[in-house]
Amino acid sequence: VWICGHSRKRRKGEPPLITGWLPFIGVTLDYVSNPLGFLRETQKKYGNVFTCKIAGKYFTFVTDPFSFSIVMRQSKNLDFQKFAVGFSQRVFGHADFNSSLFSESYREVHSIFRQTLQGLSLQQLTETMLGNLQMVLERGLPYEHDWLEEGLQSFTNRIMFEAGFLTLFGKDVGFLQADGMSGTRICMQKAVQDFLAFDRAFPLLAAGVPIGLCAEAWQAREALAEELLHDKLHHRNCISDLIQRRMDAFDCMHLDETGKARTHVCMLWASQANTLPAAFWSLYYTLRSVDAFTAACTEINRVLSGQLINNQDQTICLSREQLDSMAVLESIIEEALRLSSASIMIRVASDDFTLTLDSGQTADVRKGDYIALYPQFIHLDPEIYPDPTEFKYNRFLDEKGQRKSNFFKNERRLKHFLLPFGSGASECPGRFFAVNEIKQFLALTLWHYDLQLSDPDATLVPDSTRAGLGILPPSRDVLLRYRRKTNTTTE
Ligand code: HEM
């Protein structure tokens, strides 16, 4: 490998080193302009493991899907938390939880995720979300029969953001008492705008640009933090266990008030940044595909019809069993995630060590280097998923209409075939809630509304400038026409 003006040289036993021509920048530009294309090309030339210099750092990519679990099991040599917490501190401006002052108590804060996003707490959170989704939808549902027009992304963001926000952070008692719903809604419109303004800057922030240089993002983050100060949260009702327990823990850690609020902005971002585009793609693909639409409506009718006939206030209930039984919606969501997820899983080598891959090939890794897995390699592999760029609503259903989990490469069954939520130490603790809330969103919107895309044949591509950061949003919004169904009780 040609090395020009770079101090690092490939040592015996190390993977091929691709540094590009430019000092510091390395191959950043090739990587950023088309990550999957660049990695596929590099894999063809150098094999399943190689090291690239990107923005001054060395990333060793492992591209063989059978070696993914080997990397994820290496928690002794490969650290996730240090990297994640450092990144979060830089972007959200909260305290350094890696420091010896906080690291012990932060371990406990971290364990709150798993305790409050699974089991009974998950059930409670899911029920609250269903109530909030119905409240937000009900408010925006005109009874007249005219068609309304709105961007599908704007529609999804508006509904999911507000319902998700209220589910985690509770309802503002003051606003409700002062002037009914209107105040809450104005506040929510501002919050969603601030959230989106902050989120738009995320690719720059992730690339290392200090937030102080992104004025709009900085203002938006601080405005969100202002709303999430403990003083204000104390005036909200029905705060989730997750947020309540985090508030108590941060109070015990004696962080300053702004620092506490910024950790809540971080939680807000984690709970929404991927969910909003995932909900968008799930509804978009359902509306574009006649087969998906028909199968989804049949499933929703099976679960919901009958339940509203004697129900005066028309509230929909979806038990855990009913949600779990919606295999078609689950397959639609998984297929939408497969097509739109472009996350990167990163670990930091805490020591020099030798990684032995599934094939038996070894690769020496240096302390401080990053090991990176790029799940899109799996998600768009034609051997695993025939016609990989096509949406097939039943891709994750077997012949009996149940969840399918056997996918193969080289005639070997894959343990990891779908990784939008990461895996191992970095696996998303909110994954069950995320799927539940998107299922609820699909069920309620398809049940209550007639929905049509204004131009169903127009192609829409994901915004790849966000590659590496999770679920890609669409590159533009698409026009949606919708109206309330005349009589949903007799569907
Ligand atoms: C972390 C995906 C929704 C809470 C992650 C990670 C991924 C992910 C890939 C790992 C990030 C990394 O490796 O650095 C998703 C997707 C979602 C979703 C695709 C929706 C479709 C949610 C929701 C919540 C949530 C709804 C909470 C209510 C978190 C938290 C972390 C995380 C707290 C950090 C975990 C840690 O530091 O150990 N998510 N997520 N996520 N997610 Fe999600």
Side-chain angles (χ1 to χ4, degrees):
V1 176
W2 178 254
I3 298 167
C4 167
H6 298 279
S7 52
R8 177 153 167 170
K9 296 225 163 39
R10 180 184 176 189
R11 293 181 195 148
K12 195 164 174 283
E14 285 184 345
L17 177 66
I18 298 99
T19 54
W21 292 86
L22 299 164
F24 186 79
I25 291 176
V27 292
T28 311
L29 301 179
D30 294 333
Y31 171 77
V32 168
S33 65
N34 178 3
L36 185 63
F38 169 76
L39 293 174
R40 276 181 171 159
E41 279 299 304
T42 315
Q43 179 199 36
K44 257 192 227 148
K45 274 194 217 153
Y46 299 104
N48 276 329
V49 54
F50 47 84
T51 303
C52 296
K53 187 173 188 182
I54 299 175
K57 301 264 184 218
Y58 292 93
F59 287 79
T60 296
F61 286 91
V62 175
T63 61
D64 158 37
F66 293 105
S67 297
F68 272 38
S69 39
I70 294 177
V71 171
M72 284 175 280
R73 277 201 307 267
Q74 286 280 343
S75 52
K76 193 171 132 265
N77 295 309
L78 293 174
D79 186 87
F80 167 66
Q81 276 310 316
K82 243 190 223 116
F83 170 77
V85 169
F87 176 75
S88 168
Q89 181 205 358
R90 195 162 51 71
V91 171
F92 293 96
H94 55 60
D96 176 8
F97 297 121
N98 279 329
S99 75
S100 54
L101 191 61
F102 295 121
S103 63
E104 192 64 26
S105 11
Y106 189 70
R107 243 192 297 280
E108 275 167 44
V109 173
H110 195 262
S111 68
I112 296 174
F113 291 147
R114 306 215 179 251
Q115 292 160 23
T116 57
L117 288 165
Q118 291 183 14
L120 273 184
S121 298
L122 170 68
Q123 226 166 301
Q124 217 168 48
L125 208 60
T126 306
E127 275 168 30
T128 311
M129 182 70 187
L130 185 65
N132 285 328
L133 267 174
Q134 294 191 73
M135 192 258 294
V136 174
L137 278 170
E138 196 56 39
R139 236 186 22 214
L141 272 181
Y143 273 89
E144 64 268 23
H145 300 306
D146 289 346
W147 288 92
L148 294 176
E149 287 192 337
E150 185 178 358
L152 177 62
Q153 191 185 19
S154 142
F155 174 88
T156 311
N157 286 353
R158 179 169 61 74
I159 294 165
M160 288 297 276
F161 181 87
E162 178 165 359
F165 186 101
L166 297 176
T167 301
L168 253 59
F169 295 97
K171 295 186 180 131
D172 186 337
V173 189
F175 265 123
L176 289 178
Q177 284 168 352
D179 60 353
M181 282 306 189
S182 62
T184 314
R185 206 155 52 201
I186 290 164
C187 188
M188 208 44 79
Q189 278 170 6
K190 166 96 171 69
V192 73
Q193 275 159 20
D194 284 335
F195 178 83
L196 295 172
F198 173 67
D199 187 49
R200 267 195 300 278
F202 223 78
L204 286 177
L205 303 176
V209 176
I211 190 162
L213 297 180
C214 309
E216 199 193 357
W218 189 84
Q219 277 164 10
R221 186 192 78 185
E222 294 305 287
L224 289 169
E226 179 74 28
E227 288 307 310
L228 299 175
L229 286 166
H230 282 202
D231 256 0
K232 291 206 175 160
L233 291 179
H234 289 314
H235 290 94
R236 299 181 79 90
N237 270 343
C238 310
I239 294 191
S240 63
D241 272 2
L242 167 67
I243 298 301
Q244 188 58 59
R245 291 197 45 195
R246 281 171 66 86
M247 286 169 69
D248 296 344
F250 292 134
D251 282 343
C252 289
M253 285 163 75
H254 302 295
L255 301 181
D256 66 86
E257 292 305 312
T258 309
K260 291 177 201 170
R262 287 176 180 163
T263 64
H264 299 313
V265 178
C266 175
M267 192 61 232
L268 174 67
W269 187 84
S271 69
Q272 299 269 3
N274 289 306
T275 309
L276 300 182
F280 168 87
W281 289 113
S282 302
L283 184 54
Y284 171 78
Y285 285 124
T286 306
L287 296 179
R288 269 197 88 193
S289 148
V290 176
D291 291 349
F293 184 79
T294 310
C297 290
T298 307
E299 183 171 83
I300 294 164
N301 287 350
R302 170 180 60 76
V303 173
L304 291 185
S305 58
Q307 90 160 250
L308 297 177
I309 292 172
N310 299 318
N311 182 344
Q312 287 299 308
D313 69 359
Q314 297 290 295
T315 310
I316 285 175
C317 299
L318 279 169
S319 65
R320 195 186 124 192
E321 290 72 25
Q322 284 175 318
L323 271 180
D324 289 349
S325 78
M326 295 174 118
V328 171
L329 294 194
E330 186 140 335
S331 178
I332 287 174
I333 295 167
E334 291 191 329
E335 178 69 340
L337 289 172
R338 181 185 71 79
L339 285 168
S340 59
S341 160
S343 56
I344 184 167
M345 293 157 68
I346 294 177
R347 303 286 189 270
V348 187
S350 34
D351 239 318
D352 291 353
F353 78 104
T354 302
L355 186 64
T356 306
L357 302 180
D358 175 72
S359 61
Q361 180 190 355
T362 59
D364 290 351
V365 176
R366 296 188 203 183
K367 181 177 175 175
D369 280 2
Y370 293 147
I371 302 284
L373 304 176
Y374 201 66
Q376 236 186 10
F377 254 111
I378 298 178
H379 296 167
L380 297 181
D381 183 332
E383 205 189 326
I384 305 170
Y385 298 107
D387 308 319
T389 53
E390 226 174 86
F391 175 83
K392 295 187 182 173
Y393 85 90
N394 55 356
R395 212 186 272 273
F396 294 94
L397 294 177
D398 65 15
E399 318 73 53
K400 292 187 183 142
Q402 300 301 310
R403 192 168 190 278
K404 177 177 167 180
S405 57
N406 49 342
F407 290 87
F408 296 85
K409 186 171 170 74
N410 302 335
E411 294 174 11
R412 267 177 79 188
R413 189 169 171 179
L414 284 157
K415 181 165 179 229
H416 297 292
F417 53 88
L418 188 64
L419 288 161
F421 294 109
S423 185
S426 63
E427 189 165 29
C428 172
R431 62 196 180 283
F432 305 113
F433 178 60
V435 172
N436 283 351
E437 60 179 335
I438 299 173
K439 270 188 191 170
Q440 293 172 330
F441 172 68
L442 292 177
L444 290 173
T445 48
L446 292 172
W447 176 260
H448 280 307
Y449 293 98
D450 289 318
L451 301 147
Q452 295 174 356
L453 292 175
S454 290
D455 187 1
D457 297 327
T459 47
L460 185 62
V461 288
D463 173 7
S464 56
T465 59
R466 294 182 64 102
L469 296 176
I471 306 298
L472 304 177
S475 52
R476 62 182 170 84
D477 205 350
V478 288
L479 201 60
L480 171 76
R481 299 177 72 234
Y482 63 99
R483 66 176 178 184
R484 190 185 182 106
K485 282 184 184 167
T486 42
N487 186 0
T488 45
T489 57
T490 54
E491 285 285 315

